mmCIF file of all heavy atoms in Angstrom:
data_model
loop_
_atom_site.group_PDB
_atom_site.id
_atom_site.type_symbol
_atom_site.label_atom_id
_atom_site.label_comp_id
_atom_site.label_asym_id
_atom_site.label_seq_id
_atom_site.Cartn_x
_atom_site.Cartn_y
_atom_site.Cartn_z
ATOM 1 N N LEU O 23 14.283 23.810 12.555
ATOM 2 C CA LEU O 23 12.845 24.153 12.459
ATOM 3 C C LEU O 23 12.187 24.235 13.817
ATOM 4 O O LEU O 23 12.642 23.615 14.765
ATOM 5 C CB LEU O 23 12.129 23.064 11.618
ATOM 6 C CG LEU O 23 12.504 22.907 10.149
ATOM 7 C CD1 LEU O 23 11.853 21.640 9.598
ATOM 8 C CD2 LEU O 23 12.146 24.145 9.339
ATOM 9 N N PRO O 24 11.094 24.995 13.937
ATOM 10 C CA PRO O 24 10.286 24.876 15.134
ATOM 11 C C PRO O 24 9.798 23.450 15.280
ATOM 12 O O PRO O 24 9.585 22.733 14.302
ATOM 13 C CB PRO O 24 9.117 25.828 14.871
ATOM 14 C CG PRO O 24 9.610 26.767 13.801
ATOM 15 C CD PRO O 24 10.580 25.993 13.009
ATOM 16 N N GLN O 25 9.613 23.031 16.568
ATOM 17 C CA GLN O 25 9.229 21.630 16.771
ATOM 18 C C GLN O 25 7.943 21.244 16.022
ATOM 19 O O GLN O 25 7.835 20.147 15.451
ATOM 20 C CB GLN O 25 9.025 21.375 18.274
ATOM 21 C CG GLN O 25 8.839 19.905 18.624
ATOM 22 C CD GLN O 25 8.832 19.687 20.117
ATOM 23 O OE1 GLN O 25 7.834 19.897 20.777
ATOM 24 N NE2 GLN O 25 9.963 19.235 20.662
ATOM 25 N N ILE O 26 6.980 22.150 15.972
ATOM 26 C CA ILE O 26 5.727 21.786 15.338
ATOM 27 C C ILE O 26 5.868 21.650 13.849
ATOM 28 O O ILE O 26 5.234 20.762 13.216
ATOM 29 C CB ILE O 26 4.618 22.868 15.656
ATOM 30 C CG1 ILE O 26 3.257 22.372 15.221
ATOM 31 C CG2 ILE O 26 4.995 24.216 15.008
ATOM 32 C CD1 ILE O 26 2.142 23.191 15.771
ATOM 33 N N ASP O 27 6.777 22.415 13.207
ATOM 34 C CA ASP O 27 7.059 22.217 11.780
ATOM 35 C C ASP O 27 7.770 20.893 11.520
ATOM 36 O O ASP O 27 7.521 20.248 10.498
ATOM 37 C CB ASP O 27 7.919 23.352 11.259
ATOM 38 C CG ASP O 27 7.140 24.671 11.169
ATOM 39 O OD1 ASP O 27 5.966 24.690 11.568
ATOM 40 O OD2 ASP O 27 7.712 25.692 10.732
ATOM 41 N N GLU O 28 8.663 20.473 12.422
ATOM 42 C CA GLU O 28 9.308 19.172 12.297
ATOM 43 C C GLU O 28 8.270 18.081 12.191
ATOM 44 O O GLU O 28 8.396 17.118 11.421
ATOM 45 C CB GLU O 28 10.222 18.906 13.483
ATOM 46 C CG GLU O 28 11.449 19.795 13.596
ATOM 47 C CD GLU O 28 12.174 19.567 14.894
ATOM 48 O OE1 GLU O 28 11.681 18.865 15.781
ATOM 49 O OE2 GLU O 28 13.317 20.120 15.039
ATOM 50 N N LEU O 29 7.240 18.168 13.058
ATOM 51 C CA LEU O 29 6.211 17.134 13.140
ATOM 52 C C LEU O 29 5.323 17.092 11.868
ATOM 53 O O LEU O 29 5.070 16.020 11.299
ATOM 54 C CB LEU O 29 5.371 17.338 14.380
ATOM 55 C CG LEU O 29 6.124 17.180 15.702
ATOM 56 C CD1 LEU O 29 5.288 17.677 16.869
ATOM 57 C CD2 LEU O 29 6.552 15.728 15.917
ATOM 58 N N ILE O 30 4.779 18.255 11.472
ATOM 59 C CA ILE O 30 3.945 18.287 10.300
ATOM 60 C C ILE O 30 4.667 17.857 9.035
ATOM 61 O O ILE O 30 4.101 17.196 8.165
ATOM 62 C CB ILE O 30 3.357 19.705 10.136
ATOM 63 C CG1 ILE O 30 2.418 20.032 11.303
ATOM 64 C CG2 ILE O 30 2.626 19.871 8.797
ATOM 65 C CD1 ILE O 30 1.869 21.440 11.269
ATOM 66 N N HIS O 31 5.989 18.115 8.972
ATOM 67 C CA HIS O 31 6.808 17.795 7.821
ATOM 68 C C HIS O 31 6.805 16.285 7.586
ATOM 69 O O HIS O 31 6.839 15.878 6.405
ATOM 70 C CB HIS O 31 8.216 18.309 8.071
ATOM 71 C CG HIS O 31 9.217 17.978 6.977
ATOM 72 N ND1 HIS O 31 9.129 18.552 5.719
ATOM 73 C CD2 HIS O 31 10.262 17.104 6.971
ATOM 74 C CE1 HIS O 31 10.125 18.084 4.996
ATOM 75 N NE2 HIS O 31 10.826 17.179 5.683
ATOM 76 N N ILE O 32 6.746 15.465 8.602
ATOM 77 C CA ILE O 32 6.999 13.998 8.429
ATOM 78 C C ILE O 32 5.750 13.182 8.383
ATOM 79 O O ILE O 32 5.770 11.951 8.399
ATOM 80 C CB ILE O 32 7.920 13.448 9.505
ATOM 81 C CG1 ILE O 32 7.302 13.694 10.905
ATOM 82 C CG2 ILE O 32 9.305 14.090 9.459
ATOM 83 C CD1 ILE O 32 8.084 13.053 12.074
ATOM 84 N N ALA O 33 4.574 13.834 8.269
ATOM 85 C CA ALA O 33 3.304 13.065 8.252
ATOM 86 C C ALA O 33 2.353 13.617 7.202
ATOM 87 O O ALA O 33 2.261 14.810 7.007
ATOM 88 C CB ALA O 33 2.645 13.120 9.629
ATOM 89 N N ARG O 34 1.655 12.731 6.559
ATOM 90 C CA ARG O 34 0.621 13.130 5.636
ATOM 91 C C ARG O 34 -0.539 13.777 6.413
ATOM 92 O O ARG O 34 -1.125 14.774 6.008
ATOM 93 C CB ARG O 34 0.074 11.937 4.850
ATOM 94 C CG ARG O 34 1.047 11.415 3.786
ATOM 95 C CD ARG O 34 0.486 10.162 3.121
ATOM 96 N NE ARG O 34 1.337 9.696 2.079
ATOM 97 C CZ ARG O 34 1.192 9.934 0.778
ATOM 98 N NH1 ARG O 34 0.164 10.673 0.392
ATOM 99 N NH2 ARG O 34 2.024 9.460 -0.123
ATOM 100 N N VAL O 35 -0.905 13.118 7.558
ATOM 101 C CA VAL O 35 -1.948 13.657 8.415
ATOM 102 C C VAL O 35 -1.377 13.817 9.816
ATOM 103 O O VAL O 35 -0.882 12.837 10.418
ATOM 104 C CB VAL O 35 -3.181 12.742 8.450
ATOM 105 C CG1 VAL O 35 -4.272 13.327 9.375
ATOM 106 C CG2 VAL O 35 -3.758 12.562 7.042
ATOM 107 N N SER O 36 -1.470 14.988 10.401
ATOM 108 C CA SER O 36 -1.021 15.244 11.759
ATOM 109 C C SER O 36 -2.272 15.569 12.622
ATOM 110 O O SER O 36 -2.993 16.489 12.295
ATOM 111 C CB SER O 36 -0.066 16.430 11.828
ATOM 112 O OG SER O 36 1.044 16.222 10.929
ATOM 113 N N VAL O 37 -2.470 14.808 13.671
ATOM 114 C CA VAL O 37 -3.666 14.957 14.516
ATOM 115 C C VAL O 37 -3.214 15.486 15.847
ATOM 116 O O VAL O 37 -2.548 14.781 16.642
ATOM 117 C CB VAL O 37 -4.438 13.650 14.673
ATOM 118 C CG1 VAL O 37 -5.749 13.892 15.357
ATOM 119 C CG2 VAL O 37 -4.600 12.955 13.333
ATOM 120 N N PHE O 38 -3.588 16.737 16.177
ATOM 121 C CA PHE O 38 -3.199 17.356 17.454
ATOM 122 C C PHE O 38 -4.362 17.340 18.386
ATOM 123 O O PHE O 38 -5.430 17.912 18.087
ATOM 124 C CB PHE O 38 -2.757 18.799 17.214
ATOM 125 C CG PHE O 38 -1.544 18.928 16.351
ATOM 126 C CD1 PHE O 38 -1.625 18.950 14.958
ATOM 127 C CD2 PHE O 38 -0.285 19.011 16.950
ATOM 128 C CE1 PHE O 38 -0.494 19.104 14.185
ATOM 129 C CE2 PHE O 38 0.869 19.126 16.160
ATOM 130 C CZ PHE O 38 0.742 19.155 14.777
ATOM 131 N N PHE O 39 -4.244 16.748 19.592
ATOM 132 C CA PHE O 39 -5.226 16.812 20.649
ATOM 133 C C PHE O 39 -4.761 17.815 21.677
ATOM 134 O O PHE O 39 -3.668 17.673 22.228
ATOM 135 C CB PHE O 39 -5.383 15.430 21.312
ATOM 136 C CG PHE O 39 -5.970 14.418 20.393
ATOM 137 C CD1 PHE O 39 -5.167 13.623 19.584
ATOM 138 C CD2 PHE O 39 -7.356 14.200 20.350
ATOM 139 C CE1 PHE O 39 -5.692 12.686 18.710
ATOM 140 C CE2 PHE O 39 -7.891 13.249 19.494
ATOM 141 C CZ PHE O 39 -7.082 12.513 18.666
ATOM 142 N N ILE O 40 -5.564 18.856 21.939
ATOM 143 C CA ILE O 40 -5.053 19.974 22.709
ATOM 144 C C ILE O 40 -6.079 20.563 23.662
ATOM 145 O O ILE O 40 -7.301 20.534 23.406
ATOM 146 C CB ILE O 40 -4.565 21.091 21.749
ATOM 147 C CG1 ILE O 40 -3.776 22.164 22.477
ATOM 148 C CG2 ILE O 40 -5.733 21.691 20.969
ATOM 149 C CD1 ILE O 40 -2.999 23.084 21.566
ATOM 150 N N ASP O 41 -5.596 21.019 24.809
ATOM 151 C CA ASP O 41 -6.375 21.880 25.723
ATOM 152 C C ASP O 41 -5.495 23.098 25.971
ATOM 153 O O ASP O 41 -4.481 23.021 26.669
ATOM 154 C CB ASP O 41 -6.629 21.107 27.066
ATOM 155 C CG ASP O 41 -7.394 21.945 28.081
ATOM 156 O OD1 ASP O 41 -7.657 23.130 27.790
ATOM 157 O OD2 ASP O 41 -7.705 21.410 29.142
ATOM 158 N N ASP O 42 -5.896 24.223 25.457
ATOM 159 C CA ASP O 42 -5.082 25.444 25.546
ATOM 160 C C ASP O 42 -4.840 25.915 26.940
ATOM 161 O O ASP O 42 -3.963 26.759 27.211
ATOM 162 C CB ASP O 42 -5.712 26.554 24.725
ATOM 163 C CG ASP O 42 -5.548 26.350 23.217
ATOM 164 O OD1 ASP O 42 -4.425 26.072 22.777
ATOM 165 O OD2 ASP O 42 -6.545 26.468 22.456
ATOM 166 N N ARG O 43 -5.588 25.381 27.904
ATOM 167 C CA ARG O 43 -5.469 25.860 29.299
ATOM 168 C C ARG O 43 -4.677 24.871 30.159
ATOM 169 O O ARG O 43 -4.804 24.876 31.382
ATOM 170 C CB ARG O 43 -6.843 26.111 29.895
ATOM 171 C CG ARG O 43 -7.643 27.185 29.128
ATOM 172 C CD ARG O 43 -8.953 27.450 29.810
ATOM 173 N NE ARG O 43 -9.758 28.444 29.035
ATOM 174 C CZ ARG O 43 -10.649 28.120 28.117
ATOM 175 N NH1 ARG O 43 -10.906 26.873 27.876
ATOM 176 N NH2 ARG O 43 -11.297 29.080 27.459
ATOM 177 N N GLN O 44 -3.895 23.998 29.543
ATOM 178 C CA GLN O 44 -3.058 23.059 30.306
ATOM 179 C C GLN O 44 -1.578 23.308 30.134
ATOM 180 O O GLN O 44 -0.782 22.433 30.516
ATOM 181 C CB GLN O 44 -3.445 21.605 29.948
ATOM 182 C CG GLN O 44 -4.714 21.116 30.577
ATOM 183 C CD GLN O 44 -4.772 19.611 30.640
ATOM 184 O OE1 GLN O 44 -3.856 18.945 31.065
ATOM 185 N NE2 GLN O 44 -5.907 19.049 30.244
ATOM 186 N N ILE O 45 -1.178 24.446 29.647
ATOM 187 C CA ILE O 45 0.278 24.773 29.602
ATOM 188 C C ILE O 45 0.746 25.106 31.010
ATOM 189 O O ILE O 45 0.218 26.045 31.630
ATOM 190 C CB ILE O 45 0.522 25.941 28.649
ATOM 191 C CG1 ILE O 45 0.176 25.547 27.206
ATOM 192 C CG2 ILE O 45 1.974 26.376 28.706
ATOM 193 C CD1 ILE O 45 0.280 26.651 26.201
ATOM 194 N N VAL O 46 1.706 24.366 31.511
ATOM 195 C CA VAL O 46 2.137 24.559 32.891
ATOM 196 C C VAL O 46 3.664 24.831 33.041
ATOM 197 O O VAL O 46 4.119 25.017 34.161
ATOM 198 C CB VAL O 46 1.804 23.300 33.754
ATOM 199 C CG1 VAL O 46 0.270 23.116 33.844
ATOM 200 C CG2 VAL O 46 2.472 22.065 33.233
#
Protein backbone atom coordinates (compact mmCIF):
# COMPACT_ATOMS: atom_id res chain seq x y z
CA LEU A 1 0.00 0.00 0.00
CA PRO A 2 1.03 3.65 -0.28
CA GLN A 3 2.43 4.80 3.05
CA ILE A 4 -0.50 7.12 3.72
CA ASP A 5 -3.00 4.27 3.19
CA GLU A 6 -1.05 2.11 5.63
CA LEU A 7 -1.47 4.80 8.28
CA ILE A 8 -5.17 5.55 7.78
CA HIS A 9 -5.89 1.81 7.76
CA ILE A 10 -4.70 1.28 11.36
CA ALA A 11 -6.45 4.20 13.10
CA ARG A 12 -10.02 5.24 13.78
CA VAL A 13 -8.88 8.87 13.70
CA SER A 14 -5.76 9.99 11.78
CA VAL A 15 -4.58 13.54 12.51
CA PHE A 16 -2.18 15.01 9.94
CA PHE A 17 -0.26 18.21 10.77
CA ILE A 18 1.14 19.63 7.54
CA ASP A 19 2.86 22.55 5.85
CA ASP A 20 2.74 21.95 2.09
CA ARG A 21 5.77 24.21 1.59
CA GLN A 22 8.19 22.20 3.73
CA ILE A 23 8.90 19.29 1.36
CA VAL A 24 12.69 19.28 0.99
